[in-house]
Amino acid sequence: MIIKPKLWQIPTPNQQVDEQLDEKIRLLQARLYQIFHKHQCVKVANSLAAEDVLMIDVLAKLGVSAQIFTLDTGRLNAETVSLFDEIKQRYPNLVFERYEPQAQAVASYISTHGENAFYDGVDLRKQCCFIRKVEPLGRALLGADAWLTGQRRQQSATRDALAFFEHDTLHQLAKYNPIYDWSEQQVWAYVLKFGLPYNALYEQGYPSIGCQPCTLPVKAGDDIRTGRWWWESKDSKECGLHQSSVHQIKQQDS
Ligand code: SF4
């Protein structure tokens, strides 16, 4: 008999996390207010993850005019793509944009290396991520003087020193990670408490969801990004979207 491993599950809320949640939300609102007060044009990355929907929900409740962009790589799961419209309909007062890779660059990569050449090495994987994510990100950020991400420290070994504020040297912009210090349990406590839409793949053992061919479900207890580029070592598990930040400064929350 084959025993299937127990997969990661959406954390169930507990009393301690629930009690901390109001204070976490208050701090997050203060951080977002500070950012939108300081900058003229703030763009918000929406990878359609639970963290991003949480931030969009808080922004909508604050009533700020945020421009929210999604990088549609062309290799996303159907479950992920369908969430885009659901979020857009839920927040009619926010501006949502979708950026796709340049068709010529995709065609050239496929004809030279093959459609799934990213399995053949880190360089070819990073080339694919550059074409489908990094280059479109540059277009998405045009005109902005700051951008926000839903990255958290606990997500992976590559993010354990993540700070609230970074200077994005590649795009010459301020970059903020307003929920850098939220735990997975706190994120899900918020999502479930306010009934936010979320990707159906979370219920199939996917704690971190990227492109379909590069993401697997993970076992309970594993690092939550284990299923991203599962064939690579954990030190290379970034797509290049967050490569350029230096001068990290921890925020002093009051
Ligand atoms: S995650 Fe995979 S399919 Fe998506 S852009 Fe990167 S290498 Fe390509």
Side-chain angles (χ1 to χ4, degrees), residues 126-144:
K126 289 193 171 172
Q127 245 182 73
C128 183
C129 284
F130 181 85
I131 291 166
R132 293 182 183 273
K133 296 181 175 182
V134 179
E135 187 281 329
L137 174 67
R139 282 184 274 125
L141 292 177
L142 284 176

Side-chain angles (χ1 to χ4, degrees), residues 79-98:
E79 291 88 341
T80 308
V81 173
S82 71
L83 192 59
F84 180 83
D85 288 333
E86 204 178 331
I87 295 170
K88 202 171 158 184
Q89 279 161 17
R90 185 176 172 116
Y91 303 102
N93 295 329
L94 297 176
V95 176
F96 291 90
E97 296 171 329
R98 192 198 298 238

Side-chain angles (χ1 to χ4, degrees), residues 51 150-162 180 182 184 207-208 222-229 233-239 242:
E51 286 84 354
Q151 291 185 105
R152 295 185 297 108
R153 280 186 179 170
Q154 280 187 2
Q155 284 170 326
S156 73
T158 56
R159 296 183 181 176
D160 62 5
L162 189 72
Y180 74 101
W182 281 53
E184 183 184 52
S208 175
D222 279 355
D223 185 296
I224 60 173
R225 280 172 72 87
T226 307
R228 304 289 298 276
W229 307 294
S233 87
K234 66 179 183 180
D235 300 326
S236 65
K237 286 171 181 276
E238 291 292 348
C239 54
H242 306 296

Side-chain angles (χ1 to χ4, degrees), residues 73 75 118 125 128-129 132-133 211 213-214 229:
T73 64
R75 300 299 304 261
F118 38 77
R125 198 272 291 165
C128 183
C129 284
R132 293 182 183 273
K133 296 181 175 182
C211 291
C214 301
W229 307 294

Side-chain angles (χ1 to χ4, degrees), residues 151-206:
Q151 291 185 105
R152 295 185 297 108
R153 280 186 179 170
Q154 280 187 2
Q155 284 170 326
S156 73
T158 56
R159 296 183 181 176
D160 62 5
L162 189 72
F164 169 67
F165 171 77
E166 307 169 68
H167 179 64
D168 178 342
T169 51
L170 182 63
H171 304 102
Q172 288 299 311
L173 292 176
K175 178 179 174 186
Y176 296 90
N177 307 301
I179 58 166
Y180 74 101
D181 55 352
W182 281 53
S183 69
E184 183 184 52
Q185 282 217 326
Q186 288 164 341
V187 169
W188 281 100
Y190 186 102
V191 169
L192 298 175
K193 178 172 181 175
F194 295 105
L196 305 189
Y198 59 82
N199 195 321
L201 293 173
Y202 283 117
E203 291 177 340
Q204 297 171 37
Y206 291 76

